[in-house]
Amino acid sequence: MPLGDLTALARGVRDEAYGRRVTYSPKVFIPLTMLCRDRCGYCTFAKAPARLTSPYLTPEEVLGIARAGRDAGCHEALFTLGERPELRYPLAQTWLEDNGFASTVDYLVHVCGLVLEETGLLPHANAGALFADELAALRPVSASQGMMIESLAEDLEAHRRAPDKEPARRLATLDAAGELHIPFTTGILVGIGDDRPGQLAALQAIAASHARFGHVQEVIVQNFLPKPGTAMAKVAPCPADDLLWAIAVARLVLPPEVHVQAPPNLSDDLAPLLHAGIDDWGGVSPVTADHVNPERAWPALQTLRAATEAAGHVLAARLTIYPAFAQDAETWLDPALRFPVLDVSDAEGLARDAAWCSGGEVAPPELVGSGAAPLPSSRWRGPVAEVLDGVALGQEVGHDEIVTLFSARGPEVRMVAEVADDMRRAIVGDAVTFVHNRNINYTNVCTFKCRFCAFSKGPLSLNLRGAPYLLDLDEITRRVAEAEAEGATEVCLQGGIHPNFDGEYYVHVLGAVRAASERIHIHGFTALEVTEGARRSEVPLAEYLVRLKGAGLKTLPGTAAEILDDDIRAQICPDKINSEEWLEAHRTAHSVGLRSNITIMFGSVEHPDSWARHIVRTRALQRETGGFTEFVPLPFVHMATPIYLQRKARRGPTFRETLLMHSVARIAYRGDIDNIQVSWVKMGVEGARQVLQAGANDVGGTLMDENISRAAGASHGQRMGVEELETMVAPLGRPLVQRSTLYALAGTASAS
Ligand code: SF4
């Protein structure tokens, strides 16, 4: 088959599996030892002892490299080393003995553990042909492992003096890794003497091993380049067409879930590699050289991104372990690695792409606004662009389209944000609205055991910030009077579910508010609180809600929704009301004339599929009742929460995910919900300002006494005055306008 036809076929398979996404792993390269007992004909990595100051890097040197990588935003520590040097060089044997290690692999296990422990970088051990016990010893300290098959030809001159390159040894290592459930990277080296049938046979052998164990996460197709001073210095480099043929054949021979990689530093033109079917560039280091190919520098990340985008693809950072393996951690990761992987993962199992986290103090990356990357041309194609084309034609986005929009990366994020911002302008205009309100959290004592909650003081609270409290009713009255005197138009009432509360308690709270003010809007009581209140009063929910309404309640907050996906609720709030009960509580509230809003708490353990489910279910209820006023994304603030301290959750959503939550919601709720709110408590001023350019139109309340995010570790303050809100909004050139809880704007008839 002509090469052009072959690469077109491969491209089709790649596009079907991965869309326009091309990944890379930001890494540091740690050459633990450059001594090797093999003498491969193409290799300049292996050195004679006389050319090295020490046979091995010391632990301090290893940690120095790893720390520099961590500070530069890397997630992977790639350990590359010669094979069993102690069997050839007494010097290596002596060094190992002097330092208390039985072998090179024994020392590798030690330093992988150090790097993991001290820096959080995920080790990837690339230690050659290993035995099962060695692979097993590395599994608790490396998130993935690798070994190039290179070639299965028995008689290659290049491998004549390399006992570890014996094909049966390589295949045995590959299978042993599979038996041990190790996510594995392997590959072929094209141009070292193998013919095309030989390369095909090697790829088929890899595919067969993967068919048995499911463990091959990626296959590297690497081109041979001659290096001065090697036995193969005068051999011609791998012709470009041979490399493209091998890439295309790899893509067609391997199942779609196995990624295909070509190193970007070994080719001058990157577009043909993408055209031939790769979906990964492998490890790219901002810190260290490619010690195997030191004459070929890594492309700078900006160059790699530009080349990738110029070819119509988006670049995404990944971890050394690919998402499919990371998300099935029970199978593929030693228990010791599960949290370290989770801790640097985003919601798709790729790498967190910036240090920002919700509630924290690190500034967000600039994704929209004047400093952001320019929009791609209108010719940009791919799944995200296709969904946006449908949106432009007025089509509704369903579950799958919503998941696709959440997958936006690189320039696609800006595309989604721009569409959402245009929609915001058309639907609600330029006003940035806020409500002048006060939070009153009457108690932090709670019988429920929500694992994301650092506010409640129950038996599961691992980090007790402050003492349990219960405000008395007089204090509630006093706080309401104080708030109204300061101009508040709303009080927001929420609290824990105190074991001593009965249904009457909430009626008394409403009475305490009304004792201070007849006018102030009472926004209060989550679906959980009213469901519990009705249950403890032994009356139907509708009857109970009518009672609360009669006592002054006007609207319900959407909190307690968390994620409306019961599989996720089972992990994060197992004893709370389920999705259907939350929906039913709001359906009932709407039926008795109480309005409410929708929240989503995202970024702990769930994936975009759950976000889409949440949006679709709440949209359906809105179409049924019309009772929701706004959508309020609440990014998970992780710092002091039990589930994070128990090492079972991510560190909240990334900034990209958070921005997209507002944009995608704007698009998905078009025609159903007009108001998308950004939480300044969780986003900070910089983050909120960007989100206001990505579909959001409201900044919520001034708050006074925000307690819940602060208990989880947020540091953005407990209140925000109108002047501060004005400072936040001013650079956008849009007016800040006070609103009522029901979105009557100041100067118009009050709807509160
Ligand atoms: S989220 Fe609410 S119900 Fe859950 S533990 Fe915290 S206070 Fe209690």
Side-chain angles (χ1 to χ4, degrees), residues 2 6 11 50 69 111 125 163 228 245 466 468 471 486 537 541 609:
L6 196 67
R11 244 184 350 264
V111 287
W245 181 89
L471 301 185
E486 285 198 32
S537 299
L541 179 58
D609 183 63

Side-chain angles (χ1 to χ4, degrees), residues 131-137 139 145 173-183 213 215 331-334:
F131 296 105
D133 62 328
E134 296 168 319
L135 292 163
R139 192 171 186 268
Q145 298 186 46
T173 302
L174 185 61
D175 278 357
E179 275 168 9
L180 289 162
H181 290 126
I182 293 169
F213 305 109
H215 66 307
T331 306
W332 294 106
L333 282 170
D334 185 273

Side-chain angles (χ1 to χ4, degrees), residues 75 116 120-122 143 318-323 325-330 332-354 356-357 451 568 571-572 603-607 636 638 641-654 657:
H75 294 296
L116 183 64
L121 290 196
L122 301 174
R318 65 165 172 85
L319 305 173
T320 178
I321 176 171
Y322 275 85
F325 295 88
Q327 292 180 353
D328 185 10
E330 302 256 319
W332 294 106
L333 282 170
D334 185 273
L337 261 304
R338 291 176 195 163
F339 179 69
V341 168
L342 196 60
D343 203 29
V344 290
S345 292
D346 70 12
E348 291 185 286
L350 289 166
R352 295 185 73 86
D353 47 13
W356 181 91
C357 58
R451 298 176 60 214
I568 303 302
Q571 297 175 57
I572 64 174
S604 60
V605 301
E606 80 297 338
H607 307 297
F636 172 57
H638 71 284
T641 59
I643 195 168
Y644 183 78
L645 295 174
Q646 290 165 345
R647 299 162 68 91
K648 299 253 171 69
R650 301 191 300 273
R651 48 177 63 216
T654 65
E657 292 165 348

Side-chain angles (χ1 to χ4, degrees), residues 82 227 673:
K227 300 183 180 75
I673 295 172

Side-chain angles (χ1 to χ4, degrees), residues 362-402:
V362 176
E366 192 154 7
L367 299 182
V368 295
S370 54
L375 272 173
S377 83
S378 57
R379 297 198 314 277
W380 182 278
R381 292 290 84 214
V384 172
E386 277 166 29
V387 172
L388 293 179
D389 285 349
V391 169
L393 294 172
Q395 292 168 7
E396 172 184 302
V397 288
H399 178 280
D400 293 350
E401 289 80 20
I402 291 172

Side-chain angles (χ1 to χ4, degrees), residues 444 446-450 452-453 455-456 495-497 528 562 576:
N444 63 354
C446 187
T447 55
F448 283 81
K449 301 180 180 66
C450 303
F452 57 83
C453 179
F455 170 72
S456 77
I497 309 292
L528 176 66
E562 324 312 352
K576 210 167 198 166

